[in-house]
Amino acid sequence: MRLKLIAGNLAIVLLVGVGSYLVVRTQLHAELVRELKDGIGDDAELFGRSWRADGARLAEVVGRRATSKSVQTVYTALGESNRRQRAFDAAQDVSKWFDNPARGRRGRPHIVALMDETGRVIARDTDPNRMFGEPLLGQVPVLRGVFKRGHSRYGVWRHDDKLLQIGVAPVRNKEGGIVGALLVGYDLSNGYAARESRLVGHDLLFVTLDGIYSTSTAVDVRDALHDVLYAPPLDAVTAAALQGKPTLPWTTELRGELYVGVTSALPLARGVQAGYVVLAQQEKHTELASLADMILWLTLLGMVGVAIYGYIIANNLMEPIEQMEDDILAVINGRSNVRLEVETAELGGLSYRINQLINLFTGVAEEDEEGRAVTSSGGWEAVSISGPSVEPGARVATSGRPSTADPEAAALAEVPEGEYYAQLFADYVAAKEAVGEDVSNVPEERFVERIRGNAAHLQKKHGARMVRFTVETIGGQVNLKPLVIH
């Protein structure tokens, strides 16, 4: 029974705790995933705005460098050799200027090139002969617009397998005419992707139609994503995105983990078809759902508390019940003088009623707090003889005042014990038969044993010399009325 009480409570706590955990975690996880998918598009747009601002700053700075003295002198030099040397020196100066940490966070450009008014390269940094005479008007999408409108611009250029963010500015002579252009380009490297990813709060990858160009992710994630983006069904979606149709948030599994991503084209990447992917690991952005794990720990703690409390309560209930069971078994086995003595608040009333029931079946009257006996019919009967002024054998009336000596009580006190019990049993059987009750199942030995036990109990309780019983019938109910004799 103890285990049943404890196990039942533990099962309830476990079911409630696990159920609460599953409901809270599931709903919280679903809400976090929804927020991630709703927000990753905004994060992609955030990078787009950052890209435009970054490109505009680059174009503005290149425009200022195009007015520097070292650049201007290129276009006033006499002779091709002198012009090329000055162009190379100017490109080197511009490269060093950008490499100064005070100028910004990007560092040294990947390329600095000076062009003539036709868009052909005069010289570039790092190597005066490399790219000399190469026509860039058809290669650099924004260059034609720079010559046409006369304003600095930024864009994307694919050059020597490098994906570059470029700023291009016109170079003017003293009269204001455009005599050439200055180009500065930065590689969209892994470092740049990692730096920009911290801005958007997710991983960032730069992609082209050929594959993933650079990434802020680990290599294994990059390779797994490449297999997804350039294979059905996302290959068509990727191609459409690079042509200017941003995707809705998509979900894919990479190396056993779920990822959510958005693919979009790079702003002002005309003619290059370059784009970027904002990628978020779903589990990383749903870690808040793990707070629901606290419910499991609290459930475990609650189960420990319930187990301890249940053990204490079970013992408080079961020990008295087991004692009652032992006492009732003793009565069944013939010890009619045994009474239940459980006094707990929960079981004391039950114990009292069981004692009443035992007295009813054994024919022993109950006593009140003043020593008076209550018969099974509920009426009051005088049973106690005490005090020095009362003679042995006297009876006390219901009111509690002494009466005259009772010859019947005195006579009972003088009857030998064996003869007394035999006569009492005969009177009891006759009375029972007189009211129509069957007493064939009441053996004399058992009857006498129970009467002895009750007599001993009353004698000890009242400090009497002896206790004798008489048979009386009240309202069709046969009772044994005790006489306590001092």
Side-chain angles (χ1 to χ4, degrees):
M1 181 59 74
R2 287 183 178 86
L3 291 179
K4 290 182 179 179
L5 289 173
I6 297 174
N9 291 330
L10 291 178
I12 293 173
V13 173
L14 180 61
L15 289 175
V16 172
V18 173
S20 301
Y21 165 77
L22 292 176
V23 170
V24 172
R25 183 177 178 85
T26 300
Q27 293 185 349
L28 185 57
H29 185 272
E31 179 63 20
L32 291 172
V33 171
R34 185 189 66 79
E35 289 182 358
L36 174 61
K37 290 183 177 179
D38 290 346
I40 197 169
D42 295 336
D43 295 331
E45 180 59 29
L46 174 64
F47 171 73
R49 292 195 294 268
S50 174
W51 169 271
R52 292 184 182 93
D54 201 25
R57 285 193 298 270
L58 177 60
E60 180 184 1
V61 174
V62 173
R64 291 200 300 266
R65 299 315 305 161
T67 63
S68 66
K69 183 177 180 180
S70 62
V71 173
Q72 291 290 317
T73 58
V74 173
Y75 298 91
T76 59
L78 299 176
E80 180 180 295
S81 176
N82 192 27
R83 190 182 189 191
R84 288 179 61 185
Q85 184 61 45
R86 287 188 181 184
F88 174 72
D89 293 340
Q92 289 287 82
D93 289 341
V94 171
S95 180
K96 292 177 181 179
W97 187 90
F98 274 97
D99 193 30
N100 189 333
R103 305 287 193 269
R105 59 183 181 176
R106 281 201 163 189
R108 193 179 189 92
H110 175 73
I111 183 174
V112 176
L114 286 163
M115 294 160 282
D116 61 18
E117 70 277 9
T118 65
R120 292 182 178 275
V121 177
I122 302 174
R124 62 157 294 176
D125 62 332
T126 67
D127 187 349
N129 299 316
R130 186 179 177 188
M131 294 180 63
F132 171 69
E134 186 174 336
L136 299 184
L137 196 61
Q139 297 183 33
V140 181
V142 298
L143 184 57
R144 192 178 300 275
V146 169
F147 284 137
K148 182 177 182 180
R149 294 180 177 84
H151 298 298
S152 300
R153 303 191 68 180
Y154 70 93
V156 180
W157 180 30
R158 188 71 180 268
H159 174 66
D160 289 345
D161 293 328
K162 293 292 184 180
L163 191 61
L164 306 175
Q165 183 187 39
I166 60 173
V168 184
V171 180
R172 298 177 182 272
N173 57 22
K174 293 181 180 180
E175 290 75 24
I178 298 176
V179 294
L182 172 64
L183 180 149
V184 177
Y186 280 92
D187 183 20
L188 300 183
S189 61
N190 290 340
Y192 179 74
R195 186 170 63 249
E196 292 298 312
S197 72
R198 290 191 287 271
L199 172 66
V200 298
H202 305 296
D203 281 317
L204 182 67
L205 303 94
F206 293 105
V207 297
T208 66
L209 283 177
D210 300 329
I212 296 175
Y213 177 74
S214 61
T215 177
S216 65
T217 68
V219 175
D220 55 348
V221 175
R222 180 202 64 189
D223 294 342
L225 182 61
H226 181 278
D227 295 338
V228 172
L229 291 179
Y230 298 94
L234 283 183
D235 57 341
V237 176
T238 302
L242 296 183
Q243 293 173 2
K245 298 179 181 179
T247 68
L248 294 173
W250 43 262
T251 302
T252 187
E253 183 176 338
L254 305 176
R255 301 186 63 82
E257 299 287 347
L258 286 177
Y259 285 80
V260 178
V262 172
T263 308
S264 183
L266 281 169
L268 294 179
R270 301 182 187 94
V272 179
Q273 290 190 325
Y276 63 95
V277 175
V278 176
L279 186 68
Q281 185 178 3
Q282 182 171 295
E283 183 178 356
K284 178 181 178 181
H285 292 272
T286 57
E287 288 179 347
L288 187 61
S290 63
L291 290 176
D293 295 344
M294 288 299 299
I295 296 177
L296 293 180
W297 289 108
L298 291 174
T299 298
L300 179 60
L301 183 61
M303 291 178 67
V304 172
V306 167
I308 295 174
Y309 180 76
Y311 179 78
I312 295 173
I313 294 299
N315 279 342
N316 287 342
L317 288 175
M318 293 306 301
E319 288 181 359
I321 290 175
E322 290 170 353
Q323 183 60 45
M324 291 170 64
E325 182 181 2
D326 292 340
D327 292 342
I328 293 173
L329 181 61
V331 173
I332 293 173
N333 290 332
R335 296 175 59 189
S336 57
N337 61 324
V338 175
R339 294 295 182 271
L340 280 63
E341 297 182 357
V342 175
E343 297 180 356
T344 64
E346 296 81 7
L347 300 173
L350 177 62
S351 174
Y352 176 73
R353 296 306 176 190
I354 293 176
N355 284 337
Q356 283 187 320
L357 186 62
I358 294 174
N359 289 334
L360 177 63
F361 282 113
T362 58
V364 176
E366 293 288 336
E367 292 183 326
D368 67 357
E369 295 178 354
E370 299 178 359
R372 299 179 300 173
V374 183
T375 64
S376 59
S377 62
W380 294 102
E381 296 293 337
V383 297
S384 180
I385 299 176
S386 60
S389 61
V390 182
E391 297 180 1
R395 299 181 68 183
V396 180
T398 304
S399 63
R401 296 172 296 184
S403 65
T404 57
D406 185 351
E408 180 185 6
L412 278 175
E414 299 298 331
V415 176
E417 187 174 355
E419 182 180 338
Y420 155 72
Y421 282 118
Q423 184 61 48
L424 180 62
F425 177 72
D427 293 342
Y428 179 77
V429 171
K432 286 283 190 179
E433 291 176 343
V435 297
E437 294 187 25
D438 182 16
V439 292
S440 60
N441 60 343
V442 183
E444 182 176 356
E445 295 80 3
R446 191 67 171 275
F447 175 81
V448 172
E449 182 180 356
R450 288 186 175 180
I451 293 300
R452 287 181 186 275
N454 282 280
H457 173 72
L458 293 174
Q459 183 178 348
K460 179 179 180 181
K461 182 174 181 179
H462 295 283
R465 180 166 59 88
M466 68 174 61
V467 176
R468 292 290 168 93
F469 292 87
T470 61
V471 179
E472 66 176 10
T473 303
I474 300 176
Q477 178 70 43
V478 177
N479 297 310
L480 291 174
K481 182 173 63 177
L483 297 175
V484 180
I485 304 170
H486 290 276

